Amino acid sequence: MIDGEAATIQRPLKLQSTDRRAQVLFQPDTDPEIRTALGPERMFWTLQIGAWLFIAVLGMLARTLTLADLKAAFVLTLTLESLGFLLTSLVHLLFLARLKKIISMPVILFMACFCLAVGTSETYAAWYLRELFFPNAHPIIDPVSPAIFYIAVLLGWSLAYFSLRSEYEARVERLRRSEAQTEAMRSELEQLRLQLAPHFLFNALNSVASEIHERPDSALEMVRGIAGYLRYCLNQANRSLCPLVDEIEAMQAYLRIQELRFEDRLKCTVKAQPEALNTQVPHMILQGLVENAVKHGLKLASASIEIAVFVKRTGTDTITISVSNSGKLSAQDPNRQAIGLSNLKRRLNLHYGDAYSFSLVEQPGTVVATIVLKGQACCV
């Protein structure tokens, strides 16, 4: 039973898979559609067209004031800015886009020479077109100023290109590293999850084996409980996160198996706040805690033990889970941090980073393991 009041488990619970999908936090930059939209070619052509349209507007204003002839300014702007657009597009397609490393001395020298050559050529082209088609326009007395203008425009284009290309390449490299880290984390979590099911199955089968001859009915019910629990594990195999209510039901199925084995020696209580049940948590997060509570509690208790599980929301985005068992914490026990707890802490670290805490303390007559989860777990 799961409600706001403490309840002792009286019957096995039916484990059900859920269709709720875990929220994925780390995938905005790995979506193929976003990568296509932010690809280098689309970004280049968008900026290329916008930049040269802006340059054309400035050039049109400058030539109108200089030549005092609107038609001449329009023709020169259309010709020279189209030439600049064409040449910079060609140098991108034929040279810069093929480079793996954009920032290098040979590339910088090449672009400096390119800007000087094209800027000078456009200066002479402007002078020639004015003399040939617009003899009545104001003459270009000082060719140095137009040359400086054209060279400055091309240098500005080159600097902007280097800056944006470098930023894009750095962003792609960060994405590659992030994907590699995510894949490594996913692989590690899969290995950690694979450790848990065999560990549980080994302990559960030992429990069944000890009951077959003396209590065959109990052994049969335990086998059914084990089958239900393993079915739950298989249903959740492809999901790193699941609702906390499913984990509690799975934990209760495990505790029911142990109650059948130890009868009056083991008493289990589960108390959970309803508002905490839909929280997404790592799969099998409670398994290690209750296994250790049963194993070490029965090992150290002379008669019987009580195991209590409490789940509550202690803040807007904080969940506290505690598992206690009667007995004491032995500092000399080398198995206390074996598969269950060490596996649990590593998985919590991968899902929550620093946004969790875990403690295992001894109180008068009781050992309490507490997990505090802050925020949302990332789906790896």
Side-chain angles (χ1 to χ4, degrees), residues 184 232 360 368:
Y232 168 78
L360 182 65
V368 182

Side-chain angles (χ1 to χ4, degrees), residues 2-5 244-245 248 271-279 311-313 319:
I2 303 174
D3 54 26
E5 300 296 331
L244 183 55
V245 63
I248 293 175
K271 182 180 179 181
Q273 290 183 348
E275 55 268 29
L277 297 179
N278 290 326
T279 304
V311 179
K312 60 182 178 180
R313 182 176 291 277
I319 299 294

Side-chain angles (χ1 to χ4, degrees), residues 81-332:
E81 265 60 77
S82 297
L83 180 62
F85 176 86
L86 177 62
L87 291 176
T88 52
S89 298
L90 287 175
V91 79
H92 163 74
L93 292 173
L94 301 178
F95 179 62
L96 296 177
R98 302 184 179 186
L99 297 175
K100 294 183 178 180
K101 184 178 180 181
I102 189 66
I103 303 298
S104 64
M105 187 56 64
V107 177
I108 293 175
L109 291 176
F110 171 82
M111 290 305 300
C113 295
F114 171 80
C115 295
L116 182 62
V118 174
T120 303
S121 299
E122 288 199 335
T123 302
Y124 281 103
W127 180 84
Y128 180 78
L129 290 173
R130 192 209 65 82
E131 289 293 329
L132 183 61
F133 297 105
F134 307 101
N136 295 327
H138 286 179
I140 301 177
I141 300 175
D142 181 16
V144 175
S145 297
I148 293 175
F149 171 78
Y150 296 129
I151 293 173
V153 166
L154 291 167
L155 285 174
W157 180 92
S158 301
L159 291 174
Y161 186 95
F162 286 157
S163 175
L164 293 173
R165 174 76 177 273
S166 299
E167 174 60 26
Y168 179 82
E169 291 177 352
R171 181 175 176 273
V172 169
E173 183 60 28
R174 289 195 297 269
L175 285 176
R176 289 198 188 103
R177 288 198 300 266
S178 177
E179 288 177 351
Q181 292 172 355
T182 300
E183 187 60 33
M185 291 172 61
R186 185 179 293 112
S187 177
E188 182 176 358
L189 279 173
E190 184 62 25
Q191 293 178 358
L192 291 172
R193 286 199 296 267
L194 289 176
Q195 286 179 353
L196 293 176
H199 181 67
F200 160 76
L201 186 58
F202 174 79
N203 292 336
L205 290 178
N206 281 338
S207 300
V208 172
S210 65
E211 302 295 328
I212 289 178
H213 295 294
E214 297 181 3
R215 296 187 300 165
D217 292 338
S218 296
L220 179 59
E221 188 174 351
M222 291 171 67
V223 170
R224 290 172 178 169
I226 294 171
Y229 187 86
L230 292 179
R231 186 180 301 111
Y232 168 78
C233 294
L234 291 175
N235 289 338
Q236 302 290 343
N238 295 324
R239 302 176 58 193
S240 60
L241 299 179
C242 65
L244 183 55
V245 63
D246 291 352
E247 287 298 297
I248 293 175
E249 289 184 359
M251 174 201 65
Q252 288 182 300
Y254 168 79
L255 290 174
R256 176 57 179 165
I257 295 171
Q258 300 303 325
E259 281 187 321
L260 289 171
R261 178 184 177 187
F262 296 104
E263 295 184 316
D264 295 337
R265 288 192 62 199
L266 178 62
K267 181 180 179 181
C268 302
T269 301
V270 177
K271 182 180 179 181
Q273 290 183 348
E275 55 268 29
L277 297 179
N278 290 326
T279 304
Q280 296 286 339
V281 297
H283 178 40
M284 297 182 73
I285 191 177
L286 299 175
Q287 179 63 33
L289 293 180
V290 295
E291 274 199 60
N292 277 274
V294 172
K295 176 182 176 182
H296 296 285
L298 290 170
K299 180 179 178 181
L300 298 174
S302 58
S304 62
I305 68 165
E306 293 185 2
I307 293 179
V309 180
F310 297 97
V311 179
K312 60 182 178 180
R313 182 176 291 277
T314 54
T316 56
D317 61 347
T318 303
I319 299 294
T320 299
I321 303 170
S322 64
V323 178
S324 62
N325 63 273
S326 55
K328 61 181 181 179
L329 180 62
S330 175
Q332 304 299 323

